[in-house]
């Protein structure tokens, strides 16, 4: 396993969907079906029965604290809510323990912008789209199955049981913070993935000797040495935009937990550049202002048309003839005269 996608669905819609599974399982039990119609009333009746059953067991359990048992009150199907949160807790713990780059997907993002969501997923997986994507069928919203007070109680329970990482994924459904009619947006998705990649997936706290072989190889591909890594230094590849990276370098960056967005956001400021890199960038026409403004310098010549000095400068910045020409892809200009 090299990377993971983590799908999150609104917890309230998720619970009702699980109730629908129970309806399917018991579809031949006419007595059960008569007591549990496919409606908010049927869902509430089912939750009341389940809460009664689990409450007896929970009162005897030494694994649940008193404050959690107190938070169960007023939450329909509270055991299912607990399972839902624990699943995300364990999933995040597993990807973190395995040092897997993880892309977070919220089900709602397919509804708000299907094409952008699909492209980001394909980019993360380093896959090309083959053919036209099928039409996405929007799921139903079941928030009306709950009262506002029930949703508030459920979110308090979720926050108490969730790890900090899990809460970052789920707090966007919080009635208290976002209001009763909160809608998921693409900005929330970007915020969450930024948090995931910056706080959970990178290896900043690891010593070079503590890196797994695969991770160390990826770091080496990105220009890191033991000295640069252990001293939180900057490699020559760090100053390149994602679009300038080779396929091998992009895969290495993904191994370290980057996405295109977090890679480009991490390009260092001019004042933090090592002297050798700063001098090389000056040779190519960059100044501190141009660099920090993220402006481009027009360079329109191929490798073979460069002076030996400029070729050496480009090599200092991690370019080869192939990557230089692919990056500039412009009409050759004779700079040797």
């Amino acid at each position: 396993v090299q990377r993971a996608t983590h799908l999150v669905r609104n917890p309230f819609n998720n619970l009702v969907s699980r109730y629908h599974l129970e309806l399917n399982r018991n579809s031949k039990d006419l007595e059960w079906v008569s007591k549990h119609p496919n409606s908010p009333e049927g869902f509430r009746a089912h939750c009341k029965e389940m809460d009664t059953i689990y409450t007896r067991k929970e009162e005897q359990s030494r694994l649940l604290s008193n404050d959690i048992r107190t938070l169960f009150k007023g939450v329909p199907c509270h055991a299912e809510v607990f399972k839902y949160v624990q699943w995300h807790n364990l999933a995040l713990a597993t990807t973190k323990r395995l040092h897997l780059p993880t892309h977070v997907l919220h089900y709602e993002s397919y509804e708000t912008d299907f094409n952008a969501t699909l492209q980001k997923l394909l980019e993360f997986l380093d896959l090309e789209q083959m053919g036209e994507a099928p039409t996405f069928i929007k799921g139903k919203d079941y928030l009306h199955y709950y009262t506002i007070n029930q949703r508030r109680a459920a979110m308090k329970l979720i926050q108490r049981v969730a790890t900090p990482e899990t809460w970052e994924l789920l707090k966007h459904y919080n009635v208290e913070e976002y209001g009763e009619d909160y809608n998921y947006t693409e900005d929330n998705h970007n915020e969450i993935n930024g948090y995931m990649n910056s706080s959970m997936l990178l290896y900043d706290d690891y010593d070079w000797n503590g890196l797994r072989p695969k991770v160390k190889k990826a770091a080496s591909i990105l220009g890191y040495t033991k000295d640069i890594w252990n001293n939180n230094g900057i490699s020559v590849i760090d100053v390149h935009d994602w679009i300038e990276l080779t396929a091998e370098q992009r895969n290495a960056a993904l191994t370290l937990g980057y996405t295109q967005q977090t890679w480009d956001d991490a390009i260092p400021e001019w004042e933090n550049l090592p002297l050798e890199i700063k001098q090389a960038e000056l040779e190519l026409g960059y100044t501190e202002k141009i660099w920090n403004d993220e402006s481009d310098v027009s360079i329109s010549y191929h490798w073979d048309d460069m002076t030996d000095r400029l070729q050496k400068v480009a090599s200092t910045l991690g370019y080869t003839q192939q990557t230089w020409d692919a990056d500039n892809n412009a009409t050759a200009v004779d700079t040797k005269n």
Side-chain angles (χ1 to χ4, degrees):
V1 179
Q2 296 183 346
R3 56 195 81 161
T5 56
H6 188 124
L7 180 64
V8 182
R9 189 180 182 189
N10 183 310
F12 303 103
N13 291 338
N14 183 273
L15 263 63
V16 176
S17 292
R18 290 180 65 82
Y19 171 60
H20 291 160
L21 287 176
E22 288 297 313
L23 289 176
N24 290 332
R25 288 195 190 101
N26 294 280
S27 60
K28 296 182 180 180
D29 186 339
L30 298 182
E31 183 180 356
W32 193 94
V33 171
S34 67
K35 296 179 180 178
H36 305 87
N38 188 3
S39 66
E41 292 74 23
F43 171 73
R44 292 165 189 160
H46 171 68
C47 286
K48 186 175 181 179
E49 292 174 4
M50 300 306 296
D51 290 341
T52 300
I53 293 172
Y54 281 108
T55 297
R56 297 193 191 105
K57 298 179 180 180
E58 291 155 1
E59 289 174 349
Q60 301 173 2
S61 174
R62 292 181 294 179
L63 301 177
L64 293 171
S65 63
N66 289 331
D67 68 313
I68 290 180
R69 278 196 287 261
T70 299
L71 289 173
F72 283 160
K73 298 177 180 178
V75 179
C77 286
H78 65 263
E80 290 296 319
V81 176
F82 187 87
K83 291 178 189 177
Y84 170 91
V85 179
Q86 284 292 70
W87 188 94
H88 287 292
N89 285 343
L90 295 172
L92 291 176
T94 299
T95 53
K96 184 177 182 179
R97 179 170 57 84
L98 296 176
H99 305 300
L100 292 177
T102 302
H103 181 67
V104 177
L105 275 174
H106 278 72
Y107 183 86
E108 297 87 345
S109 62
Y110 282 114
E111 300 175 2
T112 57
D113 195 338
F114 176 81
N115 290 329
T117 301
L118 174 62
Q119 290 306 313
K120 287 181 180 179
L121 178 60
L122 291 173
E123 179 184 291
F124 173 75
L125 297 175
D126 197 25
L127 296 174
E128 293 185 7
Q129 183 171 339
M130 306 296 290
E132 188 175 345
T135 302
F136 178 74
I137 300 176
K138 183 178 178 181
K140 294 181 179 180
D141 189 4
Y142 297 104
L143 292 184
H144 61 286
Y145 277 50
Y146 309 82
T147 67
I148 293 299
N149 286 336
Q150 287 171 340
R151 287 171 57 194
R152 288 194 178 105
M155 290 307 299
K156 288 180 180 178
L157 173 61
I158 288 173
Q159 184 173 14
R160 171 62 180 83
V161 177
T163 62
E165 293 82 7
T166 298
W167 180 242
E168 283 296 320
L169 304 187
L170 304 179
K171 70 179 184 180
H172 302 273
Y173 304 110
N174 193 354
V175 180
E176 299 297 342
E177 186 171 354
Y178 295 99
E180 299 176 6
D181 298 319
Y182 171 72
N183 290 316
Y184 179 84
T185 67
E186 189 64 21
D187 288 340
N188 305 139
H189 174 79
N190 293 334
E191 174 189 334
I192 291 166
N193 265 310
Y195 171 84
M196 290 286 292
N197 285 289
S198 65
S199 67
M200 295 180 61
L201 301 175
L202 304 182
Y203 296 81
D204 292 346
D205 296 331
Y206 284 72
D207 181 83
W208 180 265
N209 292 332
L211 296 175
R212 293 187 299 156
K214 182 179 74 172
V215 177
K216 189 179 292 185
K217 180 180 179 180
S220 298
I221 290 172
L222 294 175
Y224 285 96
T225 63
K226 180 178 180 179
D227 182 62
I228 293 175
W229 184 273
N230 286 343
N231 289 288
N232 295 321
I234 295 171
S235 81
V236 294
I237 308 300
D238 283 337
V239 301
H240 292 262
D241 293 325
W242 182 270
I243 196 173
E244 298 174 330
L245 301 182
T246 65
E248 182 184 40
Q249 290 166 346
R250 290 182 186 181
N251 281 328
L254 289 170
T255 296
L256 295 186
Y258 286 101
T259 63
Q260 179 174 355
Q261 179 183 341
T262 56
W263 176 273
D264 286 340
D265 288 345
I267 291 178
E269 294 290 320
W270 179 267
E271 63 183 19
N272 296 323
L273 294 178
L275 180 60
E276 182 182 25
I277 294 178
K278 192 179 294 185
Q279 289 175 338
E281 296 292 357
L282 286 169
E283 291 272 4
L284 294 179
Y286 281 96
T287 63
E288 180 175 0
K289 185 178 187 307
I290 293 174
W291 183 273
N292 288 340
D293 289 345
E294 299 182 8
S295 302
D296 289 327
V297 171
S298 177
I299 301 174
S300 57
Y301 38 83
H302 292 302
W303 185 273
D304 288 337
D305 302 304
M306 296 165 65
T307 62
D308 291 341
R309 178 175 59 82
L310 282 180
Q311 287 180 357
K312 185 176 181 180
V313 167
S315 297
T316 299
L317 295 174
Y319 285 104
T320 64
Q321 180 174 356
Q322 181 180 6
T323 57
W324 176 271
D325 287 341
D327 183 37
N328 289 285
N329 192 24
T331 303
V333 175
D334 189 356
T335 63
K336 294 185 177 180
N337 296 322

